[in-house]
Amino acid sequence: DAKKLVRSPSGLRMVPEHRAARSPFGLDEPPWVPDKECPRCMQCDTKFDFITRKHHCRRCGKCFCDKCCSKKVPLPRMCFVDPVRQCAECALVSQKETEFYDKQLKVLMNGATFFVTLGTSDKSELMVCRLSNNQRYLVLDGDSHYEIEIIQISTVQILTEGFTPGGGNTRAIGMILQYKVPGSEEVTQMKFTAGEDLSCNKKLSASWLAAMHKATKLLYESRDQ
């Protein structure tokens, strides 16, 4: 998908030429709190003057002094080219998201193998599941082929084993995914189960499911924006 470089008050961003091509995990830039509405830092309440200048967090748009908004952190969900100024709270969130973009997104794109059951069928098919390079589709390849648009996914339930009442370790073994068929209100369900045979790497499948769980959280946040 073609992209273009744009400049906003917050910095340079590399965005898709068409909004429909944007990542389903992306966030829009927030409106900045107008200068006239923030005479004091919204964190420490320090009064702004010629010495104490005001800065806007690029993630939340709120107004802070330099001390409370000094960190420059990558913000890939808003497509910024360089690290941008963020308040301490937003910086922590963005740093955690950077791990998703640096590691877990690659896991999803590399794919993993699962037994996939469609709807109420009692038959399953061995399929390689991966996220498309543009992050917009979940691609399933086996004897059959499916491409599920990420924005059409309504719910994702990760299936685990090993849970104990005392809170013991759990391991992801599959997931149940529901999505809407484009052009209708029909909801389709798919069940993904990690294979038990040697041809299916259970550790890889568990890592892929963990990454999918994180991706789902980002997807829900993008929708709620």
Side-chain angles (χ1 to χ4, degrees):
D1 295 311
K3 294 186 177 183
K4 60 183 179 181
L5 189 66
V6 298
R7 179 181 292 278
S8 74
S10 298
L12 286 173
R13 301 169 65 222
M14 184 65 74
V15 301
E17 285 194 355
H18 304 288
R19 185 173 175 81
R22 62 174 284 181
S23 166
F25 310 119
L27 293 174
D28 292 327
E29 282 188 81
W32 282 10
V33 174
D35 288 351
K36 62 182 180 180
E37 294 181 11
C38 53
R40 295 177 178 272
C41 174
M42 300 179 77
Q43 177 64 40
C44 70
D45 206 37
T46 296
K47 186 177 181 179
F48 295 123
D49 53 30
F50 288 110
I51 298 176
T52 305
R53 307 296 297 275
K54 61 185 64 175
H55 302 277
H56 286 86
C57 172
R58 272 49 175 173
R59 187 183 179 101
C60 68
K62 294 179 181 179
C63 204
F64 303 92
C65 67
D66 183 69
K67 181 180 178 182
C68 295
C69 194
S70 61
K71 293 187 177 181
K72 289 192 175 182
V73 179
L75 186 46
R77 292 186 75 184
M78 292 184 189
C79 302
F80 284 109
V81 174
D82 300 308
V84 290
R85 187 185 292 270
Q86 298 177 56
C87 66
E89 183 177 348
C90 287
L92 287 175
V93 176
S94 295
Q95 285 169 345
K96 291 179 181 179
E97 291 173 353
T98 298
E99 180 182 353
F100 171 78
Y101 279 87
D102 287 346
K103 298 179 182 179
Q104 294 165 318
L105 198 56
K106 294 176 183 177
V107 171
L108 290 174
M109 290 179 178
N110 287 336
T113 304
F114 296 92
F115 285 105
V116 179
T117 306
L118 180 63
T120 58
S121 173
D122 57 358
K123 295 182 179 180
S124 61
E125 181 179 339
L126 191 63
M127 308 188 83
V128 175
C129 308
R130 63 179 178 83
L131 186 68
S132 63
N133 290 337
N134 61 14
Q135 305 172 21
R136 291 165 49 207
Y137 295 91
L138 187 61
V139 181
L140 287 70
D141 276 312
D143 290 336
S144 305
H145 177 82
Y146 298 96
E147 292 187 8
I148 301 171
E149 198 170 3
I150 296 296
I151 60 172
Q152 299 294 341
I153 294 175
S154 52
T155 61
V156 174
Q157 177 188 356
I158 302 297
L159 306 175
T160 61
E161 68 175 8
F163 176 78
T164 62
N169 292 331
T170 61
R171 180 173 65 89
I173 59 171
M175 71 176 179
I176 295 176
L177 180 151
Q178 292 184 326
Y179 65 97
K180 289 184 179 180
V181 177
S184 75
E185 293 300 315
E186 179 185 350
V187 176
T188 300
Q189 177 173 296
M190 281 186 171
K191 182 178 181 181
F192 298 69
T193 307
E196 296 295 330
D197 61 336
L198 294 178
S199 66
C200 297
N201 188 320
K202 294 169 70 174
K203 184 176 180 180
L204 177 61
S205 298
S207 297
W208 193 92
L209 289 167
M212 188 65 186
H213 184 238
K214 178 63 176 178
T216 303
K217 289 184 177 180
L218 299 187
L219 177 63
Y220 291 161
E221 289 173 7
S222 296
R223 288 176 179 169
D224 292 341
Q225 187 184 51

